Amino acid sequence: MLPYGRQSISEADIEAVAEVLRGDWLTTGPAVEAFEAELSRWCGGVPCVAVTSGTAALHVAYVAAEVGPGDEVVTTPLTFVATAATAALRGARVLFADVQPDTGNIDPKAVESLVTGRTRAVTAVDYAGHPADYDELRAITDRAGALLIADAAHAIGSAYRNRPVGLLADLTTFSFFPTKTVTTAEGGAVAAADPARFARAARFRNHGLVRDPAEQRDPGHGGWHQEVHEFGLNYRLPDVLCALGVSQLRRLGRFRARRAELVARYNTLLAGVPGLTLPTRRPYTEPSWHLYPVRVRDGRRREVYDRMRAAGIGVQVNYLPAYWHPVFQDLGYRRGLCPEAEAYYAEQLSLPLFPDLTDDQQHDVVERLTTILR
């Protein structure tokens, strides 16, 4: 089965991991600092905290934003469920804003209609790697006194109006799952420009431990002493995975270029195919494409999905609207809440896209899809 996405692992990646295994540090050592520093470079210099997954990154970001009971978080339903679930786990009420039908990104107009005095954060998702409309979203959150959070799980290396993702929101989260542009096997990160939010994020990912005597309440015990002032969790990403991440980030430029080349070829080869809508790109963005999402019209998405997979081509659907999950239905959310997102989901299909996809493999994908639709 040709997958819709997969990791690209080089001998340099393997050697980077092996070097850590031969050394003294397996976790919370120099490779973590190196990974965070390299990631910060891609985020316009914004400091980053490495964590164990993209879901952990979202949880940490909501903690850093001080989201809690009584707060509201506005986000998109066209995302993996973790974007909303981690806010709900903090006790917040999640409000779902509809999406733009062309990009699949959260619609600022829909956001504005949902913002209230209880809105603590607006969380945008850079769907498929295409950045959301951050200037419009920033104007809304500034007026509301809310924070802007970017779920950039798809978008490492992307840019919006010549500014890199990581520099656009108050807090930005990343995922390094194997299908993403850069992988650490499992892993994630939070970029936070504000020093207080950065400190809160870094502390929460390490059990909430306070080691600096100047910040401790009872520091006189000795060099071993550490305190917990607020509960945290163990979300530390180990050295062995950060070493893989550093090696991967050094190839991010090449990954982005190959993905862009494949997207351009898809656009050319699929132009004019009946019953198919291709993804769009706003002229002021530079997407780091994670997905190639097409829309299969005329109610044929299920047929195309089944026939493509039967032919050994592992297309995927991204995503079930978050509030369609039973856990949200049990909380009172109902279908029909975001018509554009539901219409997008009903037609969406992700075609294979990853750096090691060959031209011949891509041609086979196009030929099979074109044959089915025609």
Side-chain angles (χ1 to χ4, degrees), residues 4 7 54 153 175-188 290:
Y4 84 96
Q7 68 274 13
S175 170
F176 306 116
F177 189 73
T179 58
K180 301 301 194 300
T181 304
V182 164
T183 188
T184 56
E186 287 278 7
H290 163 57

Side-chain angles (χ1 to χ4, degrees), residues 213-293:
E215 298 179 7
Q216 292 174 349
R217 297 182 188 177
D218 187 19
H221 294 275
W224 65 86
H225 183 60
Q226 52 191 358
E227 301 174 349
V228 173
H229 297 177
E230 295 180 84
F231 291 126
L233 295 170
N234 178 2
Y235 280 157
R236 299 188 303 261
L237 191 65
D239 259 41
V240 68
L241 298 185
C242 283
L244 173 58
V246 171
S247 182
Q248 287 265 304
L249 282 172
R250 289 171 180 162
R251 289 190 288 148
L252 177 53
R254 278 176 279 167
F255 289 157
R256 292 186 69 245
R258 177 56 178 163
R259 286 174 177 270
E261 180 184 351
L262 289 166
V263 166
R265 289 188 77 237
Y266 269 136
N267 289 342
T268 298
L269 294 170
L270 294 172
V273 173
L276 200 64
T277 300
L278 305 186
T280 190
R281 180 182 75 84
R282 301 285 170 84
Y284 47 82
T285 67
E286 297 174 31
S288 184
W289 293 104
H290 163 57
L291 301 174
Y292 188 79

Side-chain angles (χ1 to χ4, degrees), residues 16-360:
V17 172
E19 186 176 350
V20 170
L21 292 173
R22 297 185 192 106
D24 296 326
W25 295 88
L26 290 183
T27 188
T28 320
V32 176
E33 294 181 7
F35 178 62
E36 291 173 339
E38 184 67 15
L39 182 59
S40 174
R41 188 175 70 82
W42 282 96
C43 294
V46 176
C48 296
V49 176
V51 294
T52 50
S53 69
T55 301
L58 286 160
H59 191 191
V60 170
Y62 288 131
V63 169
E66 299 183 271
V67 170
D71 291 333
E72 293 177 350
V73 172
V74 180
T75 192
T76 166
L78 196 62
T79 181
F80 184 62
V81 67
T83 311
T86 45
L89 284 169
R90 291 289 298 168
R93 180 183 177 217
V94 179
L95 301 177
F96 291 101
D98 214 344
V99 303
Q100 300 163 332
D102 55 348
T103 65
N105 282 332
I106 196 167
D107 187 339
K109 294 179 181 177
V111 171
E112 191 157 30
S113 70
L114 294 174
V115 166
T116 72
R118 294 182 296 278
T119 304
R120 181 63 187 167
V122 172
T123 304
V125 172
D126 299 326
Y127 184 78
H130 189 293
D133 283 310
Y134 283 100
D135 285 353
E136 296 174 59
L137 293 170
R138 172 63 76 186
I140 295 168
T141 56
D142 284 352
R143 285 194 298 270
L147 294 178
L148 180 56
I149 298 175
D151 180 345
H154 295 183
I156 186 170
S158 295
Y160 168 85
R161 300 193 187 279
N162 299 315
R163 289 171 285 158
V165 164
L167 193 62
L168 302 168
D170 296 301
L171 294 151
T172 303
T173 68
F174 298 99
S175 170
F176 306 116
F177 189 73
T179 58
K180 301 301 194 300
T181 304
V182 164
T183 188
T184 56
E186 287 278 7
V190 180
D194 179 77
R197 294 188 195 109
F198 176 82
R200 198 175 297 120
R203 190 171 291 173
F204 185 81
R205 66 100 182 254
N206 190 28
H207 298 284
L209 291 172
V210 178
R211 291 197 170 111
D212 185 351
E215 298 179 7
Q216 292 174 349
R217 297 182 188 177
D218 187 19
H221 294 275
W224 65 86
H225 183 60
Q226 52 191 358
E227 301 174 349
V228 173
H229 297 177
E230 295 180 84
F231 291 126
L233 295 170
N234 178 2
Y235 280 157
R236 299 188 303 261
L237 191 65
D239 259 41
V240 68
L241 298 185
C242 283
L244 173 58
V246 171
S247 182
Q248 287 265 304
L249 282 172
R250 289 171 180 162
R251 289 190 288 148
L252 177 53
R254 278 176 279 167
F255 289 157
R256 292 186 69 245
R258 177 56 178 163
R259 286 174 177 270
E261 180 184 351
L262 289 166
V263 166
R265 289 188 77 237
Y266 269 136
N267 289 342
T268 298
L269 294 170
L270 294 172
V273 173
L276 200 64
T277 300
L278 305 186
T280 190
R281 180 182 75 84
R282 301 285 170 84
Y284 47 82
T285 67
E286 297 174 31
S288 184
W289 293 104
H290 163 57
L291 301 174
Y292 188 79
V294 299
R295 294 183 66 163
V296 181
R297 301 193 301 271
D298 306 319
R300 298 187 65 193
R301 196 270 306 275
R302 176 66 180 270
E303 173 202 350
V304 173
Y305 173 91
D306 289 342
R307 291 177 66 179
M308 292 287 282
R309 291 185 72 90
I313 298 171
V315 292
Q316 185 58 283
V317 173
N318 305 97
Y319 298 94
L320 183 77
Y323 56 82
W324 281 23
H325 287 281
V327 66
F328 281 104
Q329 292 182 342
D330 291 346
L331 292 171
Y333 295 82
R334 294 293 178 261
R335 297 189 182 197
L337 188 61
C338 297
E340 292 290 357
E342 294 182 20
Y344 196 104
Y345 162 70
E347 297 181 343
Q348 196 276 341
L349 195 70
S350 296
L351 303 186
L353 181 68
F354 50 92
D356 294 338
L357 184 71
T358 68
D359 291 352
D360 285 344

